[in-house]
Amino acid sequence: FVMRSISPRLELIGPAATKVATTTPEFSWKALKDASGYRISLLDDAGKLLHEHKVSVNTWTPHGSEALTPGKSYHWKVEATLASAQTDTAQAQFSVLDKAAAKSIAKRKPAPHAPFSERLLYAALLENEGLTHDAAALWRSLAAERPDEAALQNLKVQLSYTTIRAPITGRISAAIFKVGNIVRAADLAAMATIIQTAPVYVSFPMPQNQLPA
């Protein structure tokens, strides 16, 4: 039989399945050796084409009027033209933080040479806010600085305990506890009450003679 090599599939690096804090994020993907060029398309959440460019490198950054809108979700797609005249395509989605959230993140960003603990807390903050792409890059940087990955992973687990996520969505009551308070699983007082709004079950009486036959 004849063995044939399979060309690598196009793989997006980011942003993918994440949030971004900037309106001009860098779009990047892994370069294919046999690709003669790429076409990147940016679409809004409804699928409307916003921008499209042909590039020879594996990155693209929007500029000027191409800047994204805070608080909006987007899709992007890259199509590689291969030497064999075939094409390979990959796509992903992401969203942009609203202005208030982006401003809050920017204020809490530590300096490049800030203590390790401050940058560690900032990485956890990025991850909790859904900025997983930026958080992963910072985690890699921290892991390279402190090769003891097991200890770093343990710190990530410990930091994750500082965020409590509700198992359902709905409307929340006024919170009894404030940031910095210590809470325990054995506490009798509820932190807050969440009223689930979807689905909603309604019960009401009805005379039997009005029921359908």
Side-chain angles (χ1 to χ4, degrees), residues 7-199:
S7 59
R9 289 194 58 81
L10 187 62
E11 183 180 344
L12 303 182
I13 297 176
T18 185
K19 293 180 181 179
V20 296
T22 175
T23 57
T24 55
E26 180 184 74
F27 296 82
S28 60
W29 53 95
K30 290 188 177 179
L32 298 182
K33 292 183 179 180
D34 58 343
S36 58
Y38 306 93
R39 180 172 64 183
I40 178 171
S41 304
L42 182 65
L43 306 91
D44 64 15
D45 197 32
K48 179 182 177 182
L49 180 64
L50 301 176
H51 306 292
E52 189 172 75
H53 293 275
K54 288 185 177 181
V55 296
S56 58
V57 294
N58 60 320
T59 62
W60 174 73
T61 303
H63 296 285
S65 61
E66 296 176 328
L68 310 182
T69 304
K72 296 292 184 180
S73 297
Y74 295 90
H75 296 264
W76 66 291
K77 178 174 66 174
V78 175
E79 183 180 279
T81 302
L82 307 178
S84 59
Q86 296 180 334
T87 59
D88 197 359
T89 305
Q91 56 186 337
Q93 61 182 27
F94 68 98
S95 59
V96 183
L97 285 181
D98 59 57
K99 290 183 178 180
K103 187 176 181 180
S104 175
I105 291 290
K107 282 185 177 180
R108 301 171 72 175
K109 184 177 181 179
H113 301 292
F116 186 84
S117 58
E118 288 186 21
R119 289 177 284 134
L120 185 70
L121 288 171
Y122 185 66
L125 171 66
L126 293 177
E127 195 163 330
N128 288 337
E129 291 295 331
L131 298 159
T132 53
H133 183 73
D134 293 337
L138 186 50
W139 283 123
R140 286 193 295 269
S141 174
L142 293 170
E145 188 175 334
R146 297 282 181 89
D148 190 354
E149 187 175 347
L152 184 61
Q153 291 296 330
N154 181 58
L155 286 172
K156 287 178 66 177
V157 172
Q158 297 299 321
L159 285 170
S160 70
Y161 296 153
T162 64
T163 300
I164 300 176
R165 301 185 183 278
I168 62 173
T169 57
R171 289 184 173 273
I172 188 171
S173 66
I176 299 176
F177 298 94
K178 297 180 179 180
V179 175
N181 291 156
I182 297 177
V183 294
R184 303 177 181 82
D187 289 345
L188 298 178
M191 294 180 61
T193 301
I194 297 177
I195 301 175
Q196 190 173 13
T197 56

